[in-house]
């Protein structure tokens, strides 16, 4: 059982384990007026054995090590007892001061010892056996400890949490106060502290809104905001305009700041011509600029290297494989397989029902006898699972393939992958940063096949890698556009391709009638403009109509998708309503805007390499402790434990955004679509949502909203620099 806000004062007796990189410590701690030490653990920077500390935290019971104290905050304090003062002065903090000398000092000054050291340090010379060298060493260490307390007090005073204060002190030490007073925007270099927090501190310290420090930090912040919107770079004029408008910074100051940031190489600038031949200057952060540069370099490195295994001219293998598996490829499919044999790198793109999976399965069968080491991967766990199910070949996430951990990716240029052939599925989901890491680890002699649907939503992270690679002309591309007969019988497939082409589905055959009981279709449209009534229909469809008529499990096989988080038909509100309907009672705990309950369907929101769960993984809550605010979640393979501070990693998943559904398939999909979603009504969003459904897709909303989405193409085109990088490295497109 845990108790919050427990405060303990005592001495750190022994450090059992410490990690200087992140400050994590396990040790024994003797509480004042106690004789038996306790076990403590937590983040504690710059501390030593025998130091007196004030700890804040909570008790917990470890299943192996028993009762221990988990530290949330710490602060060095001065011991008050004679014994404590002696132990403190003779600790590692004060090198050169042994126990005998410490006793002499304390015996001389008694309870005033620390006041003497603070205010009258020269009196130390009156203590027998304390020489000048010892005095100097003791006073230097004393100043450091006093400085630590001063820094922590100052940081807390300007509104910085204890956890961030520790990070700041760990980086800047005793210089923290003067550095922050000179430029509080330097704090944005600390992970977790953004511009908004630093800006608040700056205001508390009296900084002008048009200070050069604020202007520079504001520009970097605005670029980071654009990266969150998917852009790896941004045109200079709108960048300056946005920063002026949103942060209220003088435009002249911004012009001056951007020049300085470019000179200091904190920003990059590239001049490129758009499709109309008009030149524009694109500004980027170095990390994204360099990532796109490395992607381009690695593409050319792989393209221009000799392959481990050469298939060129061996097209007879295709006919042999056709006879072996009893399959006749259509001309475009055959073109794709021939291209895979001929080229080191290949892109295969196409929509649902065009045979991407068939081609991958065919190529695996054809190449495996000659290439024993083949790797299949996808950006998410669910996408990887789907490849395994459809091809029969083992697939993993890209993160697992690269042996990702909290320390980073273990596979890189120095420690490359072992596979001679690498096939990536759902490549449209791969952002610039991940593609950079992946290509760094691909051996020069390996073959690479990128499979994906370029018409789907782009990656959640910055970049449009698949689209840029296709449009660059650098890599051969095979476009699959023929819908096979079985798929052509599906309204899901037909309407997905209509949307992709910019055509509105034929609603006359799809509108759900209340008396339509005989024929079951795989695609329905339910007209409704009132958001509250749309929610009612979603609840009815998910819990009654679809389970009854299609015999599908509401929890496991039916997924509500929505364009947005907020609003009546947003994921937050829908999750509350669906939870009330599908899982109304039981042990629960509240976290932020969500109520987690045993039995709830939840989604992992970020990669956690230690837990081995990844962004987009779905699970069910199997245990919930409201007192400790801890959860246990059953994912496909194992049960994962979440502490209170880790709950931000989870969200309810009865309803999820379309973006979060990428790479996944569900037996049935329900999608609300109204003009209230006008900000998100895009063709690729509607197309992506429709293609998530395997057996059934139900649209609930208005025809005008669907038309708006279908007609809205290209308004969200991302600014990226990858095509420019590829162009600069290659004299001319290769294909």
């Amino acid at each position: 059982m845990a108790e919050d806000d427990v405060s303990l004062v005592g001495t750190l007796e022994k450090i059992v384990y410490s990690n200087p990189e992140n400050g994590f410590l396990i040790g024994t701690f003797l509480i004042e007026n106690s004789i038996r030490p306790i076990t403590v653990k937590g983040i504690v920077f710059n501390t030593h054995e025998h130091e007196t500390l004030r700890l804040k935290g909570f008790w917990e019971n470890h299943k192996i090590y028993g009762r221990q104290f988990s530290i949330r905050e710490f602060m060095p304090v001065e011991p008050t007892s004679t014994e404590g003062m002696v132990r403190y002065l003779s600790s590692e903090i004060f090198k050169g001061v042994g126990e005998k000398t410490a006793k002499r000092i304390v015996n001389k000054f008694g309870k005033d010892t620390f006041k003497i050291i603070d205010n009258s340090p020269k009196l130390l010379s009156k203590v027998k056996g304390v020489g000048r060298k010892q005095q100097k060493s003791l006073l230097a260490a004393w100043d450091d400890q006093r400085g630590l307390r001063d820094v922590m007090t100052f940081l807390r005073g300007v509104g910085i949490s204890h956890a961030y204060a520790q990070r700041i002190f760990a980086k800047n030490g005793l210089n923290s106060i003067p550095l922050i007073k000179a430029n509080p925007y330097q704090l944005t270099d600390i992970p977790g502290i953004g511009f908004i927090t630093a800006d608040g501190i700056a205001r508390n310290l009296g900084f002008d809104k048009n200070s050069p420090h604020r202007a520079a930090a504001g520009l970097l912040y605005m670029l980071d905001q654009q990266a969150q919107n998917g852009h790896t770079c941004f045109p200079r004029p709108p960048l300056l305009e946005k920063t002026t408008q949103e942060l209220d910074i003088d435009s002249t100051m911004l012009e001056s700041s951007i020049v300085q940031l470019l000179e200091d190489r904190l920003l990059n600038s590239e001049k490129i011509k758009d499709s109309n031949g008009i030149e524009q200057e694109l500004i980027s952060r170095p990390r994204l600029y360099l990532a796109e540069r490395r992607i381009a370099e690695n593409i050319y490195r792989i393209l221009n290297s000799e392959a481990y295994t050469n298939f060129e001219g061996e097209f007879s293998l295709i006919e042999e494989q056709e006879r072996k598996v009893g399959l006749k490829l259509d001309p475009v499919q055959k073109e794709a397989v021939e291209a895979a044999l001929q080229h080191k790198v290949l892109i295969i793109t196409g929509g649902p029902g065009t045979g991407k999976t068939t081609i991958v399965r065919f190529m695996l069968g054809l190449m495996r006898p000659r290439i024993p080491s083949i790797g299949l991967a996808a950006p998410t766990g669910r996408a990887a699972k789907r490849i395994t199910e459809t091809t029969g070949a083992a697939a993993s996430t890209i993160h697992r393939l690269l042996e990702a951990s909290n320390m980073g990716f273990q596979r890189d240029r120095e420690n490359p992958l072992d596979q001679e052939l690498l096939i990536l599925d759902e490549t449209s989901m791969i952002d610039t940063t991940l593609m950079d890491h992946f290509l760094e680890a691909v051996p020069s002699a390996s073959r690479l096949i990128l499979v994906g649907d370029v018409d789907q939503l782009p990656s959640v992270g910055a970049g449009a890698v698949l689209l840029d690679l296709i449009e660059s002309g650098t890599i051969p591309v095979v476009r699959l556009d023929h819908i096979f007969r079985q798929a052509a019988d599906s309204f899901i497939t037909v309407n997905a391709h209509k949307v992709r082409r910019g055509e509105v589905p034929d609603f006359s055959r799809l509108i759900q009638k209340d008396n339509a009981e005989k024929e079951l279709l795989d695609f329905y449209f339910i007209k409704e403009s009132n958001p509250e009534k749309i929610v009612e229909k979603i609840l009815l469809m998910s819990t009654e109509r679809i389970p009854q008529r299609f015999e599908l499990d509401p929890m496991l096989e039916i997924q509500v998708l929505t364009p947005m988080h907020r609003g009546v038909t947003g994921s937050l509100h829908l999750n509350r309503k669906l939870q009330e309907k599908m899982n109304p009672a039981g042990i629960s705990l509240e976290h932020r805007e969500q109520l987690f309950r045993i039995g709830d369907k939840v989604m992992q929101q970020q990669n956690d390499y230690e837990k081995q769960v990844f962004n987009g993984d779905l699970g069910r809550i199997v245990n919930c402790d409201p007192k400790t605010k801890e959860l246990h979640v059953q994912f496909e393979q194992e049960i994962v434990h979440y502490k209170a501070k880790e709950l931000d990693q989870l969200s309810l998943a009865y309803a999820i955004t379309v973006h979060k559904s990428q790479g996944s398939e569900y037996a049935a999909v329900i999608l609300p679509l109204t003009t209230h979603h006008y900000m998100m009504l895009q063709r690729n969003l509607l197309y992506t949502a429709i293609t998530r459904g395997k057996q059934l897709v139900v649209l609930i909303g208005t025809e005008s909203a669907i038309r708006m989405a279908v007609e809205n193409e290209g308004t969200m085109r991302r600014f990226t620099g990858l095509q420019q990088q590829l162009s600069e490295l290659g004299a001319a497109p290769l294909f």
Side-chain angles (χ1 to χ4, degrees):
M1 289 228 339
E3 300 173 52
D4 291 331
D5 299 320
V6 176
S7 183
L8 305 177
V9 176
T11 306
L12 183 64
E13 294 289 289
K14 185 177 180 181
I15 297 174
V16 179
Y17 168 82
S18 71
N19 184 338
E21 292 185 2
N22 59 19
F24 183 77
L25 172 147
I26 301 172
T28 57
F29 188 79
L30 186 64
I31 302 171
E32 284 185 339
N33 303 317
S34 179
I35 59 171
R36 183 174 294 176
I38 62 168
T39 299
V40 297
K41 65 173 187 178
I43 306 299
V44 182
F45 286 102
N46 298 87
T47 193
H48 304 271
E49 290 183 350
H50 308 307
E51 187 171 2
T52 302
L53 304 171
R54 177 177 285 107
L55 307 179
K56 269 190 175 182
F58 56 91
W59 292 100
E60 63 179 22
N61 282 315
H62 194 278
K63 60 183 179 182
I64 298 174
Y65 302 110
R67 186 171 169 84
Q68 52 187 231
F69 190 80
S70 186
I71 304 166
R72 284 183 177 165
E73 295 184 12
F74 82 99
M75 179 68 76
V77 295
E78 295 171 356
T80 55
S81 69
T82 299
E83 184 185 21
M85 287 190 287
V86 170
R87 295 183 72 183
Y88 181 56
L89 290 175
S90 61
S91 68
E92 287 183 16
I93 301 170
F94 305 100
K95 297 188 186 304
V97 181
E99 188 177 350
K100 288 182 179 179
T101 303
K103 280 182 178 178
R104 290 193 190 111
I105 294 170
V106 174
N107 288 337
K108 177 72 174 176
F109 302 117
K111 65 179 185 321
D112 295 325
T113 297
F114 293 160
K115 288 182 183 177
I116 296 293
I117 297 173
D118 261 332
N119 304 315
S120 306
K122 289 182 180 180
L123 294 177
L124 288 170
S125 61
K126 296 184 179 291
V127 180
K128 186 179 178 182
V130 180
R132 286 186 180 180
K133 190 175 179 181
Q134 282 181 307
Q135 287 182 52
K136 190 176 179 181
S137 175
L138 189 153
L139 291 173
W142 185 265
D143 286 342
D144 285 348
Q145 291 301 300
R146 184 169 58 188
L148 171 59
R149 291 191 290 274
D150 290 346
V151 169
M152 298 298 280
T153 302
F154 169 79
L155 293 174
R156 299 300 298 274
V158 295
I160 297 173
S161 72
H162 189 87
Y164 289 134
Q166 290 183 66
R167 294 181 191 178
I168 293 166
F169 185 83
K171 182 178 180 181
N172 300 312
L174 299 177
N175 292 322
S176 298
I177 295 176
L179 285 171
I180 291 169
K181 284 183 174 180
N183 179 12
Y185 296 98
Q186 294 179 82
L187 293 174
T188 56
D189 294 335
I190 305 295
I193 299 180
F195 174 82
I196 302 301
T197 301
D199 202 34
I201 295 166
R203 285 198 301 272
N204 290 338
L205 295 173
F207 273 72
D208 186 85
K209 70 176 184 178
N210 289 313
S211 79
H213 295 310
R214 186 170 189 263
L219 284 164
L220 296 176
Y221 166 72
M222 197 55 62
L223 266 181
D224 289 340
Q225 291 297 105
Q226 298 314 310
Q228 290 183 24
N229 294 330
H231 308 290
T232 62
C233 49
F234 209 69
R236 182 168 177 161
L239 173 65
L240 293 168
E241 186 181 345
K242 277 180 173 289
T243 311
T244 298
Q245 290 177 351
E246 295 187 26
L247 302 182
D248 190 22
I249 301 174
D250 180 73
S251 58
T252 305
M253 179 56 72
L254 288 175
E255 287 283 2
S256 174
S257 291
I258 203 167
V259 170
Q260 190 62 53
L261 288 166
L262 288 167
E263 285 181 7
D264 295 339
R265 298 188 178 182
L266 296 173
L267 293 178
N268 286 94
S269 170
E270 284 282 313
K271 290 183 178 177
I272 65 170
K273 289 183 179 180
D274 63 18
S275 56
N276 300 316
I278 300 171
E279 189 176 77
Q280 60 180 341
E281 183 182 8
L282 295 176
I283 305 297
S284 59
R285 296 292 295 264
R287 63 180 179 83
L288 289 172
Y289 173 85
L290 293 171
E292 289 185 323
R293 185 75 177 178
R294 284 190 296 267
I295 289 172
E297 289 173 348
N298 282 315
I299 287 291
Y300 279 107
R301 171 178 63 84
I302 299 165
L303 278 170
N304 295 322
S305 299
E306 191 69 30
Y308 285 118
T309 305
N310 193 351
F311 291 95
E312 197 167 351
E314 298 189 31
F315 296 142
S316 61
L317 292 171
I318 299 174
E319 294 178 3
E320 292 176 17
Q321 186 66 15
E322 285 180 321
R323 288 193 295 271
K324 186 177 177 181
V325 299
L327 173 69
K328 185 69 176 175
L329 298 176
D330 83 345
V332 180
Q333 287 180 316
K334 191 172 183 179
E335 179 192 344
V337 178
E338 287 177 352
L341 297 178
Q342 185 178 356
H343 300 291
K344 284 287 301 303
V345 185
L346 174 69
I347 294 173
I348 300 173
T349 184
T354 58
K356 295 193 300 294
T357 302
T358 300
I359 289 174
V360 171
R361 196 163 50 230
F362 188 93
M363 287 190 300
L364 286 171
L366 185 152
M367 291 182 172
R368 186 160 278 140
R370 296 275 295 275
I371 304 178
S373 181
I374 298 175
L376 275 77
T380 68
R382 291 183 67 84
K385 184 185 176 190
R386 200 175 74 190
I387 302 171
T388 300
E389 291 171 347
T390 54
T391 67
S396 73
T397 64
I398 297 172
H399 290 86
R400 282 199 174 98
L401 186 71
L402 298 178
E403 298 175 18
S405 70
N406 291 337
M407 301 298 292
F409 295 102
Q410 303 308 303
R411 295 287 187 167
D412 53 22
R413 188 75 68 91
E414 302 301 318
N415 182 30
L417 295 164
D418 304 318
Q419 291 82 0
E420 294 183 27
L421 169 65
L422 288 152
I423 302 175
L424 292 190
D425 198 17
E426 297 288 353
T427 309
S428 63
M429 295 178 62
I430 303 175
D431 63 23
T432 300
T433 302
L434 184 56
M435 184 60 85
D436 173 28
H437 285 296
F438 171 74
L439 290 176
E440 279 285 287
V442 176
S444 297
S446 292
R447 294 173 177 272
L448 177 61
I449 299 173
L450 306 176
V451 183
D453 186 348
V454 74
D455 295 308
Q456 286 190 27
L457 284 169
S459 58
V460 175
V465 176
L466 181 61
L467 179 63
D468 284 344
L469 288 174
I470 290 172
E471 293 189 347
S472 73
T474 305
I475 300 170
V477 179
V478 178
R479 297 177 182 269
L480 306 176
D481 51 16
H482 174 70
I483 305 173
F484 289 90
R485 190 181 66 176
Q486 186 176 355
D489 293 335
S490 162
F491 281 110
I492 294 175
T493 302
V494 170
N495 286 316
H497 284 277
K498 277 181 173 286
V499 170
R500 180 182 62 81
R501 294 192 299 266
E503 302 171 16
V504 178
D506 181 5
F507 297 118
S508 61
R509 300 182 64 188
L510 304 175
I511 295 176
Q512 172 70 26
K513 309 287 186 185
D514 289 337
N515 60 356
E517 297 290 337
K518 291 185 180 179
E519 185 184 9
L520 289 179
L521 306 178
D522 65 355
F523 198 109
Y524 293 94
F525 172 54
I526 302 173
K527 283 188 176 182
E528 183 55 68
S529 59
N530 185 303
E532 297 290 352
K533 289 185 178 178
I534 288 175
V535 174
E536 290 176 10
K537 284 184 165 60
I538 289 172
L539 295 177
L540 179 66
M541 286 289 168
S542 1
T543 61
E544 296 181 33
R545 291 283 182 86
I546 294 174
Q548 289 169 5
R549 297 190 63 193
F550 291 85
E551 298 182 351
L552 295 175
D553 187 297
M555 278 282 194
L556 301 177
E557 297 179 295
I558 302 172
Q559 185 62 58
V560 178
L561 305 181
T562 178
M564 302 183 76
H565 286 291
R566 303 285 175 181
V568 177
T569 56
S571 61
L572 289 172
H573 184 250
L574 283 171
N575 270 315
R576 283 194 288 269
K577 290 293 184 181
L578 287 160
Q579 185 188 47
E580 289 171 9
K581 188 79 172 177
M582 298 171 69
N583 192 27
I587 300 172
S588 61
L589 67 87
E590 191 171 353
H591 179 72
R592 302 194 190 276
E593 298 178 278
Q594 300 182 103
L595 192 70
F596 291 122
R597 184 175 287 140
I598 292 177
D600 278 337
K601 181 163 89 172
V602 293
M603 175 178 278
Q604 177 74 12
Q605 294 295 313
Q606 62 191 61
N607 295 325
D608 189 318
Y609 305 114
E610 189 175 331
K611 291 183 173 37
Q612 286 293 292
V613 286
F614 301 94
N615 193 355
D617 286 352
L618 288 174
R620 295 278 297 275
I621 296 174
V622 294
N623 189 37
C624 171
D625 190 333
K627 292 181 179 177
T628 62
K629 292 193 173 181
E630 293 176 298
L631 296 175
H632 286 84
V633 179
Q634 174 73 64
F635 291 97
E636 286 185 5
Q637 296 179 340
E638 59 182 332
I639 294 174
V640 178
H641 175 218
Y642 291 84
K643 296 180 180 179
K645 62 183 180 183
E646 298 170 326
L647 295 183
D648 282 343
Q649 296 186 26
L650 294 172
S651 67
L652 293 174
Y654 298 98
I656 62 174
T657 63
V658 179
H659 284 82
K660 281 292 186 183
S661 74
Q662 288 177 266
S664 300
E665 282 187 338
Y666 314 95
V669 163
I670 303 172
L671 177 72
L673 215 62
T674 75
T675 50
H676 293 84
H677 300 136
Y678 72 94
M679 291 289 290
M680 300 297 294
L681 292 180
Q682 302 158 40
R683 184 185 299 177
N684 55 7
L685 181 138
L686 178 56
Y687 174 76
T688 300
I690 292 172
T691 56
R692 300 309 89 199
K694 291 192 292 185
Q695 296 173 234
L696 177 65
V697 172
V698 180
L699 302 185
I700 307 178
T702 62
E703 291 186 36
S704 59
I706 294 172
R707 289 184 187 277
M708 193 181 293
V710 170
E711 293 168 2
N712 187 6
E713 182 195 22
T715 59
M716 296 296 290
R717 177 74 190 228
R718 294 179 169 184
F719 292 102
T720 62
L722 180 55
Q723 284 195 59
Q724 177 72 9
Q725 298 279 20
L726 287 162
S727 175
E728 287 179 3
L729 288 174
L734 299 179
F735 305 94

